[in-house]
Amino acid sequence: EACTNAALHPNTTPQDLYRLGRVEDADKSYKQAEEFYRKSSELGYAPAQNGLGNLYANGDGLDQDFGLALHWYKKAAKQNFVPAYYNIGELHFNGSGVPQNYAIARKWHEKGAEEGYPWSQYSLGYIYGEGLGVAKDHQKARDLYLRAAKQGLPGAQNSIGAFYYNGYGGPKDLEKGLEWMKKAARQGDKTAKENLKEIEDNQSIGWAGKRFP
């Protein structure tokens, strides 16, 4: 009730509403989160617009609707809110509510990667590593994975580890490869754990595994 009263206060800012929404979102109180995000979004606050898009994309507290998710992500992206670039890219990558289109996904992930957003770097690395809608480029994928891995993203740490271990896109370095995969495993990355177990069993390993930690 205190949160609700705060939200009704005439001096409550869009930032305040967003913060309240984040608290409710973290508590999985999605209906209340949606209320705060929507109020903040209607006042033009980009992080809240992105948060509201996430609720629609995930079907948290309301009916899953990728079209409305995209609507709110685009509003946030127009204000240069970088995580929205990633989210728009993923909708196009997966064909969620829009036709699957790797070229459009790549465009949005490039925007995010240029801003240093690790999830965008990771997804763009995967696109180049697999050659999805673009010529396969392991060297470029390796660079992107490394940039994301240095920011602590477990999936990217596993992927750059496998790239080093196998010599994809550059010189082979078993020690570095193991080091990165162990970092990912310590953060709970399942594919990294599987890769390390296969190495212990003297088997070959894959390089990407699942796209996300």
Side-chain angles (χ1 to χ4, degrees):
E1 190 174 340
C3 284
T4 305
N5 290 338
L8 295 174
H9 193 280
N11 294 328
T12 303
T13 66
Q15 292 88 342
D16 291 332
L17 291 165
Y18 171 67
R19 282 192 286 268
L20 292 168
R22 284 289 300 270
V23 170
E24 300 293 355
D25 200 343
D27 287 342
K28 299 189 182 339
S29 300
Y30 297 124
K31 287 290 186 185
Q32 290 86 345
E34 185 257 340
E35 180 184 349
F36 290 130
Y37 283 159
R38 190 174 299 280
K39 286 177 180 175
S40 181
S41 294
E42 288 168 352
L43 293 170
Y45 192 53
Q49 292 169 341
N50 186 71
L52 186 55
N54 286 340
L55 293 184
Y56 276 115
N58 296 322
D60 290 333
L62 33 76
D63 292 335
Q64 189 174 52
D65 189 322
F66 291 117
L68 282 171
L70 183 60
H71 167 79
W72 287 108
Y73 289 151
K74 282 187 171 178
K75 282 185 174 291
K78 281 181 182 176
Q79 298 188 66
N80 301 316
F81 187 69
V82 176
Y85 299 162
Y86 166 77
N87 288 326
I88 294 170
E90 284 301 281
L91 290 182
H92 286 93
F93 183 95
N94 294 311
S96 300
V98 292
Q100 188 177 56
N101 189 313
Y102 293 133
I104 294 175
R106 187 176 78 252
K107 181 192 83 168
W108 283 102
H109 287 322
E110 282 172 347
K111 284 172 69 72
E114 285 166 7
E115 297 295 330
Y117 192 59
W119 282 99
S120 298
Q121 293 167 342
Y122 181 32
S123 291
L124 189 59
Y126 185 85
I127 286 171
Y128 278 106
E130 289 287 336
L132 300 172
V134 68
K136 190 177 286 191
D137 188 335
H138 279 174
Q139 187 175 351
K140 194 160 191 171
R142 180 169 169 145
D143 175 64
L144 288 158
Y145 282 145
L146 182 59
R147 287 158 61 192
K150 285 180 175 177
Q151 295 188 69
L153 201 62
Q157 291 175 339
N158 171 65
S159 292
I160 188 60
F163 264 52
Y164 276 126
Y165 195 87
N166 290 307
Y168 294 139
K172 182 181 285 193
D173 190 324
L174 301 183
E175 188 177 341
K176 271 189 179 178
L178 287 170
E179 180 186 332
W180 279 113
M181 282 185 273
K182 285 175 181 176
K183 283 185 179 183
R186 283 196 293 270
Q187 293 197 71
D189 188 88
K190 290 180 181 179
T191 308
K193 291 177 181 178
E194 290 167 4
N195 283 344
L196 290 167
K197 186 177 185 307
E198 288 175 3
I199 289 169
E200 284 179 11
D201 296 340
N202 295 315
Q203 297 174 5
S204 61
I205 63 167
W207 64 266
K210 295 179 182 177
R211 295 193 60 235
F212 302 109

